[in-house]
């Protein structure tokens, strides 16, 4: 779904005052069916408990990894500490490709490519958040799926020699031997995970000022080159 | 080569092998020679990258008097009790053994740019094709009235790593109950812009538990300083009533000290103090001046490769350079070193030279698990290293973010020291 369509829907919703909130971002009823993909791990509604994943009541507006008593992955905790908060935009990105937003997340869900399915799912989830009407009005339009990476970007073949030079800049913080003290390891990743993570920083979907800045000035070829270089670094 | 065995510290077989290998003068045959002066953030990094990436094509010699390099970065954490002094020491063993760098423990005392020769205090001479200077800083004589380098035991600067830092810590720990710690802060530009203020935080942290009625006075010739609102917020939160910062508007720049009487006079008002940390105005390490590549206090360089404006075969990295927008930090020196190494290797071996990219991030610790950071990226323009983009922590961040920021700085310390020393 494109930006234009979203804008139209928001406009329509604000004209027809009193329409159900969910109309602004998608069709909650259709979303209930989509939620069957999550149900195996997440519960929702009255009496929902933590299962493989945390229950998802009240997820809108909550910090990532903030549900007490649930054991999150290190990556998710780090994202929460960095300030990742679940909004329509970040949820959409996470559901689309969990590893783009939270690289080493424990959620083994391969992602949902269909933007309409995601919008419907979000509308459904939103009904279980305490106070949806307090959510920022601008939010729905912000869910435009501009973070969907062009497959051509993922198909780019990186030049490892250029990657080696570019990596110099990373190695002031990330260690070449893959050890991780306070800063995560970035060696020997699948190239795709690396590329989607870097693009998520570049587009500022993923929080973290240092990495947003570092990724912000790398172009698509440079990101591919870095992915190719770090993949094989022992 | 007239290298003297006595001053040579080759800890590894590779280094010994290159000592016995015949070396010839620059205009002759044999491997091109790079000499680096100063084995700190800039010099150690550049030496390692040159040796690593040239895979033996270059003869790399690093001149550094100390066998153990004590980082200034994280030295404030030692003052605050968050690090041991040993955690800050690093040696050159791996650079010699694993990368085949000739590590020469001596002072460089002269550079003859016409014959392309460096003279060492021990008397030996090192010919070079390319010379890289990263000598750090020295202090401007007479910058603080009453203070000279010979007063550094009574009133330490602790702005070069190692024994000065230990001395300052011992003095802080020996302060009488309710005593006074004074700092004379430096004018711009100086090494590590947030450094003095992180130090104030860490000294306050140490005193808060050992000597909670002690006071800290800072006389500052500046109106504002790096991360000012973050530090001031932190001082109010953690050390309420302890820190009195006197900026230039209140006469903080009008200072003299008396190291014998242990007094500090700020804007005409004399105070007896127990510890006085004098951080004078700075200039490039003296060897840069001796090499004739400085103008005023610093060495102007070209942004694309860190070569000096004075001589295309002499490069200056780190604090000693005058490059434009980058702060004088270990991170900056390390970043510049990698750009320079790439360019020097390209010039000497014909390897591909990629466009310069620089970045910096400086973390500071304000209290336990209360870390903040500021950073930026830079590019090379015709006139200078020019800022592209940046960020800074904000006031009022929650404790989880601050703790994560501190943990990141620990990761960075491990990363940069591995990047320097292998
Ligand atoms: C209290 C404090 C805190 C700091 N905190 C940080 C921080 O958190 N992050 C950060 O990025 N930076 C920090 N810095 C700044 C950082 O230490 C310097 O910017 C950095 O070390 C500069 O690198 P350099 O290579 O220019 O000089 P240095 O690292 O000082 O290295 C210079 C070397 O040259 C040698 N040398 C000098 N003259 C000669 C000669 N004639 N012959 C042979 N060798 C010579 C010296 O022995 C020395 O080892 C801090 C500094 C201080 C004082």
């Amino acid at each position: 779904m494109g930006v234009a369509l979203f804008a139209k829907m928001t406009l329509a919703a604000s004209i027809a005052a009193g329409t159900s909130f969910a109309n602004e971002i998608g069709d909650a009823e259709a979303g209930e069916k989509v939620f069957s993909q999550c149900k195996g791990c997440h519960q929702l509604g009255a009496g929902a408990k933590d299962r493989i994943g945390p229950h998802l009541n009240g997820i809108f507006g909550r910090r990532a990894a903030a549900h007490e008593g649930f054991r999150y992955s290190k990556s998710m905790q780090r994202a929460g500490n960095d300030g990742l908060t679940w909004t329509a935009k970040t949820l959409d990105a996470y559901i689309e490709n969990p590893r783009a937003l939270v690289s080493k997340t424990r959620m083994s869900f391969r992602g949902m490519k269909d933007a309409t399915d995601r919008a419907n799912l979000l509308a459904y989830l939103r009904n279980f958040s305490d106070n949806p009407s307090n959510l920022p009005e601008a939010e729905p339009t912000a869910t435009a799926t501009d973070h969907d990476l062009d497959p051509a970007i993922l198909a780019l073949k990186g030049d490892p020699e250029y990657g080696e030079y570019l990596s110099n800049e990373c190695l002031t913080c990330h260690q070449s031997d893959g050890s991780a003290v306070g800063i995560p390891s970035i060696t020997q990743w699948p190239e795709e995970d690396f590329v989607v993570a870097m693009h998520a920083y570049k587009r500022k979907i993923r929080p973290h000022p240092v990495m947003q800045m570092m990724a912000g000035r790398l172009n698509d070829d440079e990101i591919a080159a870095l992915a190719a270089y770090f993949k094989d670094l022992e | 080569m007239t290298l003297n065995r006595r001053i040579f510290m080759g800890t590894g077989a590779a280094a010994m092998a290159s000592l016995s290998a015949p070396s010839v003068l620059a205009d002759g045959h044999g491997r091109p020679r790079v000499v680096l002066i100063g084995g700190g953030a800039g010099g150690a990094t550049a030496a390692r990258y040159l040796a690593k990436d040239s895979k033996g094509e270059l003869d790399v010699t690093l001149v550094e008097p100390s066998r153990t390099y004590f980082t200034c970065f994280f030295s404030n954490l030692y003052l605050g009790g968050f690090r041991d002094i040993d955690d800050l020491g690093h040696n050159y063993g791996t650079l010699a053994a694993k990368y085949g760098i000739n590590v020469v423990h001596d002072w460089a005392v002269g550079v003859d740019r016409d014959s392309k020769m460096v003279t060492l205090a021990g008397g030996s001479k090192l010919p070079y094709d390319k010379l890289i200077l990263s000598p750090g800083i020295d202090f401007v004589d007479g910058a603080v009235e009453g203070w000279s380098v010979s007063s550094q035991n009574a009133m330490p600067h602790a702005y070069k790593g190692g024994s000065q830092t230990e001395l300052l810590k011992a003095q802080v720990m020996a302060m009488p109950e309710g005593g006074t710690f004074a700092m004379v802060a430096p004018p711009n530009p100086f090494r590590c812009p947030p450094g003095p203020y992180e130090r104030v935080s860490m000294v306050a942290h140490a005193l808060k538990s050992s000597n909670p009625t002690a006071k800290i006075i800072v006389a500052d010739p500046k109106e504002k300083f790096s991360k000012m609102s973050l530090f001031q917020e932190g001082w109010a939160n953690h050390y309420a009533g302890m820190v009195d910062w006197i900026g230039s508007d209140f006469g903080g720049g009008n200072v003299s000290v008396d190291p014998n009487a242990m007094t500090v006079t700020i804007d005409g008002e004399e105070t007896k103090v127990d510890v006085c940390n004098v951080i004078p105005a700075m200039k490039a390490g003296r060897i840069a001046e001796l090499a004739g590549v400085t103008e005023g206090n610093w060495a102007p360089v070209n942004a694309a490769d860190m070569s000096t404006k004075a001589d295309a075969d002499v490069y200056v990295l780190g604090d000693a350079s005058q490059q434009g927008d980058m702060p004088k930090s270990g991170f900056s020196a390390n970043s510049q070193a990698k750009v320079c190494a790439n360019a020097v290797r390209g010039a000497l071996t014909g390897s591909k030279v990629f466009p310069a990219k620089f970045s910096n991030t400086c973390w500071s610790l304000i209290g336990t698990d209360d870390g903040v950071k500021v950073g930026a990226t830079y590019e090379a323009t015709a006139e200078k290293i020019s800022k592209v983009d940046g960020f800074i922590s904000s006031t009022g961040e929650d404790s989880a973010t601050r703790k994560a920021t501190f943990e990141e700085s620990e990761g960075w310390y491990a990363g940069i020291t591995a990047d320097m020393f292998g």
Side-chain angles (χ1 to χ4, degrees):
Chain A
M1 188 181 304
V3 185
L5 184 46
F6 265 112
K8 247 191 250 153
M9 287 171 56
T10 320
L11 187 63
S14 56
I15 292 168
T19 16
S20 128
F21 185 82
N23 277 355
E24 291 181 18
I25 51 172
D27 175 352
E29 243 169 78
E32 184 173 1
K33 291 195 197 79
V34 181
F35 187 70
S36 64
Q37 298 188 40
C38 324
K39 254 186 178 159
C41 302
H42 293 288
Q43 295 193 352
L44 203 52
K49 290 200 183 53
D50 294 344
R51 292 292 172 193
I52 297 172
H55 76 68
L56 295 178
N57 291 341
I59 192 73
F60 275 80
R62 191 164 84 198
R63 269 254 180 136
H67 178 54
E68 267 191 49
F70 185 79
R71 265 191 58 235
Y72 292 96
S73 64
K74 270 210 181 119
S75 264
M76 187 66 84
Q77 289 176 30
R78 185 152 45 74
N81 290 341
D82 291 343
L84 178 64
T85 300
W86 295 121
T87 62
K89 180 177 171 184
T90 55
L91 281 168
D92 190 49
Y94 185 58
I95 296 165
E96 180 190 11
N97 182 350
R99 291 193 310 275
L101 201 61
V102 187
S103 297
K104 299 272 159 82
T105 177
R106 256 181 47 224
M107 167 157 130
S108 36
F109 175 70
R110 71 189 134 57
M112 190 182 292
K113 294 292 162 236
D114 190 295
T116 314
D117 279 356
R118 295 200 306 274
N120 294 343
L121 175 60
L122 290 188
Y124 177 65
L125 284 178
R126 203 176 232 198
N127 288 343
F128 297 88
S129 281
D130 295 342
N131 219 348
S133 57
N134 283 352
L135 295 170
E137 280 310 313
E139 203 62 75
T141 42
T143 63
T145 55
D146 60 351
H147 44 78
D148 195 0
L149 266 196
D150 184 343
I153 290 180
L154 286 174
L156 282 176
K157 273 261 141 271
D159 167 6
E161 192 196 350
Y162 189 30
E164 179 172 16
Y165 170 72
L166 293 169
S167 79
N168 293 351
E169 193 165 34
C170 321
L171 294 175
T172 309
C173 294
H174 296 282
Q175 302 223 40
S176 58
D177 67 3
S179 55
V181 218
I183 293 182
S185 163
I186 58 169
T187 61
Q188 308 202 332
W189 282 33
E191 272 170 280
E192 178 170 337
D193 288 4
F194 194 101
V195 169
V196 295
M198 292 302 284
H199 280 279
Y201 284 124
K202 186 175 163 74
R203 295 161 182 218
K204 302 200 193 293
I205 300 166
R206 239 179 123 145
H208 201 277
V210 172
M211 283 308 303
Q212 287 182 352
M213 178 182 82
M214 298 306 299
R217 65 165 171 172
L218 296 168
N219 64 33
D220 298 346
D221 286 313
E222 290 171 330
I223 289 175
L226 283 160
Y229 174 71
F230 278 112
K231 170 174 65 83
D232 294 324
L233 199 61
E234 305 260 339
Chain B
M1 168 146 90
T2 48
L3 233 184
N4 183 331
R5 258 173 207 278
R6 194 171 44 81
I7 56 153
F8 184 82
M9 205 242 6
T11 49
M16 289 321 273
S18 56
L19 176 71
S20 47
S23 294
V24 273
L25 278 171
D27 46 25
H29 5 275
R31 295 186 297 166
R33 273 182 287 233
V34 185
V35 173
L36 299 103
I37 299 180
T45 306
R48 178 168 165 270
Y49 274 82
L50 282 164
K52 172 172 82 70
D53 294 341
S54 72
K55 301 186 172 70
E57 275 188 74
L58 294 176
D59 182 345
V60 181
T61 301
L62 177 63
V63 183
E64 162 62 50
S66 309
R67 277 160 202 274
T68 305
Y69 174 82
F70 286 94
T71 58
C72 279
F73 26 107
F74 273 29
S75 66
N76 289 327
L77 274 65
Y78 159 72
L79 295 176
F82 294 95
R83 280 290 178 285
D84 289 334
I85 194 76
D86 293 337
D87 299 337
L88 307 180
H90 304 269
N91 65 56
Y92 299 89
T94 308
L95 291 183
K98 181 167 168 202
Y99 298 95
I101 296 166
N102 310 312
V103 181
V104 181
H105 287 299
D106 200 352
W107 288 96
V109 292
V111 173
D112 182 340
R113 292 199 276 117
D114 294 330
S115 62
K116 293 189 153 188
M117 193 78 79
V118 174
T119 308
L120 304 185
S124 43
K125 293 196 186 302
L126 296 173
Y128 65 83
D129 296 305
K130 295 279 190 187
L131 174 65
I132 301 176
L133 306 176
S134 193
I137 51 133
D138 272 312
F139 300 110
V140 174
D141 289 335
V144 175
E145 194 187 328
W147 193 91
S148 70
V149 174
S150 61
S151 336
Q152 68 176 8
N153 288 336
M155 294 187 169
H157 52 78
Y159 236 64
K160 295 187 183 187
S163 56
Q164 274 279 306
T165 320
E166 288 185 277
L167 176 64
L168 184 64
K169 170 138 183 177
Q171 293 182 354
V172 170
M173 293 331 281
M175 273 169 65
E177 205 182 316
T180 302
F181 173 99
M183 171 188 281
V184 179
N188 291 324
F190 61 100
R191 152 177 287 188
C192 194
Y197 313 98
E198 182 186 54
R199 175 170 293 169
V200 165
S201 312
M202 289 294 97
V203 168
H205 177 82
L207 290 173
K208 194 178 166 184
S209 54
S210 67
N211 191 349
T213 54
K215 291 265 174 284
I216 297 175
I217 320 174
V218 185
D220 205 322
K222 304 182 291 299
E223 225 170 277
K224 50 187 195 328
F225 56 84
S226 171
K227 303 182 201 166
M228 182 157 169
S229 55
L230 294 166
F231 280 114
Q232 290 187 329
E233 176 195 55
W235 295 343
N237 286 344
H238 301 291
Y239 317 115
M242 235 176 153
V243 182
D244 184 10
W245 178 78
I246 304 167
S248 60
D249 327 13
F250 297 92
N254 180 13
V255 181
S256 64
V257 298
D258 183 340
N260 295 318
M262 282 305 284
T263 56
V264 180
T265 304
I266 304 169
D267 210 21
E269 193 179 320
E270 187 183 274
T271 311
K272 177 99 181 78
V273 300
D274 300 290
V275 178
C276 188
N277 175 206
V278 177
I279 311 176
M282 296 167 205
K283 60 179 184 181
R286 191 163 148 68
I287 191 70
E289 191 184 331
L290 291 175
V293 294
T294 52
E295 255 172 48
N297 287 336
W298 311 101
V301 295
N302 298 304
D305 62 357
M306 305 301 290
S307 62
T308 53
K309 304 269 185 194
D311 186 332
D313 290 325
V314 179
Y315 300 72
V316 175
L317 305 176
D319 292 355
S321 67
Q322 178 183 309
Q323 32 69 20
D325 296 348
M326 294 184 85
K328 298 187 187 297
S329 73
F331 200 123
S332 297
N334 168 273
S335 173
Q336 293 158 9
K338 292 184 248 191
V339 167
C340 175
N342 187 254
V344 166
R345 180 165 65 94
L348 294 176
T349 70
S351 65
K352 195 159 168 186
V353 177
F354 294 103
K357 269 193 173 173
F358 305 92
S359 56
N360 176 61
T361 298
C362 283
W363 287 266
S364 302
L365 186 62
I366 301 179
T368 307
D369 287 336
D370 190 1
V372 293
K373 61 189 168 193
V374 60
T377 52
Y378 305 85
E379 65 188 3
T381 65
E383 324 81 275
K384 62 170 187 173
I385 298 183
S386 177
K387 179 169 163 177
V388 178
D389 186 17
F391 68 87
I392 182 164
S393 296
S394 31
T395 51
E397 281 170 341
D398 63 29
S399 55
T401 302
R402 290 294 174 87
K403 181 165 190 268
T405 303
F406 170 59
E407 285 167 0
E408 252 167 64
S409 72
E410 296 183 289
W412 165 77
Y413 187 88
I416 191 174
T417 50
D419 206 34
M420 289 164 65
F421 297 103

